[in-house]
Amino acid sequence: MSLNNTEIDRVIEMAWEDRTTFDAIENQFGITEKDVIKIMRKNLKNSSFKLWRKRVSGRKTKHLKVLEKHNIKTLRFKCSRQKNISNNKIT
């Protein structure tokens, strides 16, 4: 896992977004949910990391398989700043 600072910032931003699944992050950056957690732990203050973990733990919208299991339709969300990011595989 060797991401530059811009990619790490984007991973953190995507991890905070409610509708962005860990699968989408893995497809775009090639890192697993465990790697995302490591990035968040390393780059956030301890209190912010705990708040994020509490927020995403068990959240249906963060796991594509859970979304499909509960027949929840995924929304394709693209933030207004996403088009400005270079090397973005999704855009």
Side-chain angles (χ1 to χ4, degrees):
M1 173 179 66
S2 59
L3 300 174
N4 63 38
N5 289 336
T6 304
E7 292 170 327
I8 290 172
D9 287 345
R10 182 62 183 137
V11 168
I12 292 170
E13 185 178 9
M14 290 175 75
W16 271 105
E17 293 171 352
D18 290 337
R19 289 283 181 183
T20 303
T21 64
F22 288 114
D23 298 306
I25 296 171
E26 185 172 4
N27 286 338
Q28 188 167 348
F29 295 99
I31 58 174
T32 64
E33 180 180 349
K34 287 183 180 184
D35 294 330
V36 172
I37 293 169
K38 287 178 188 176
I39 289 171
M40 298 296 277
R41 186 184 311 269
K42 182 179 178 183
N43 292 282
L44 297 178
K45 293 186 298 184
N46 190 38
S47 60
S48 297
F49 174 75
K50 287 180 181 181
L51 180 66
W52 174 77
R53 283 298 290 157
K54 183 178 179 182
R55 181 179 168 148
V56 299
S57 293
R59 183 177 285 264
K60 293 176 185 174
T61 57
K62 292 305 276 186
H63 297 88
L64 188 58
K65 290 178 184 176
V66 176
L67 285 172
E68 291 169 349
K69 179 181 174 186
H70 292 283
N71 200 20
I72 298 172
K73 300 204 185 275
T74 58
L75 299 175
R76 289 296 224 172
F77 176 76
K78 180 178 168 184
C79 83
S80 60
R81 295 175 309 278
Q82 188 170 355
K83 64 183 173 189
N84 297 328
I85 299 171
S86 62
N87 299 323
N88 192 336
K89 296 176 186 175
I90 292 178
T91 57

